[in-house]
Amino acid sequence: MNLTDHFTLEELTHTDHSQFENIPNEAELENLRRLAAFLEEVKTVLGGRPVMVNSGFRSKQVNDAVGSKDSSQHRLGVAVDIRVPGLKPDEVVKTIIASGLAFDQVIREFDRWTHISIPNEPSRAPRKQALIIDKSGTRAFS
């Protein structure tokens, strides 16, 4: 099912842990629609490049299987990990920060992908947190 022109429900719920159900409820599906619309904006600021989704929505079982915290925004359907062919995660993060987009978090993770989230609820203001997560820990993006 297409959520937007370039993003589908299937890609935002895909998991390599296929032994677990990864089906969003109605609230999570609405969040995925908001996230897909935001990803369209991300795609635009990145010059129309392909935005490849590594991980989007995660059910509790999938989230546990990947070793993530219960508080992960992936659980709510408001976070996605992406790769952009031809751009390093640093370049993606810098472009998103400079764009003025209303991101909640943008995180360069292990210099391999970029985590992007929107606010958990549409009425909340975005935190605009820019971070780095790697083997040294978590710190502000600079």
Side-chain angles (χ1 to χ4, degrees), residues 16-126:
D16 290 338
H17 297 278
S18 57
Q19 71 271 30
F20 301 124
E21 193 171 86
N22 200 43
I23 300 171
N25 65 30
E26 282 302 314
E28 294 158 348
L29 181 57
E30 188 54 39
N31 284 340
L32 287 169
R33 286 187 179 102
R34 288 192 305 117
L35 182 62
F38 181 77
L39 287 173
E40 292 289 351
E41 295 179 56
V42 168
K43 182 176 178 64
T44 297
V45 301
L46 294 172
R49 293 177 188 266
V51 174
M52 313 299 291
V53 176
N54 293 347
S55 180
F57 171 76
R58 296 183 196 145
S59 68
K60 170 115 174 83
Q61 289 178 311
V62 170
N63 200 59
D64 289 348
V66 301
S68 190
K69 297 177 183 177
D70 281 339
S71 60
S72 169
Q73 288 182 293
H74 288 275
R75 290 277 297 111
L76 301 174
V78 295
V80 64
D81 297 334
I82 64 168
R83 289 175 294 105
V84 180
L87 292 179
K88 294 179 180 178
D90 239 27
E91 296 170 297
V92 174
V93 171
K94 287 177 183 176
T95 300
I96 290 169
I97 291 169
S99 73
L101 290 178
F103 65 90
D104 195 56
Q105 289 184 317
V106 61
I107 307 171
R108 185 188 82 201
E109 293 194 39
F110 302 97
D111 223 9
R112 294 180 46 216
W113 65 84
T114 305
H115 169 100
I116 304 170
S117 68
I118 57 175
N120 293 0
E121 298 171 13
S123 61
R124 285 195 182 169

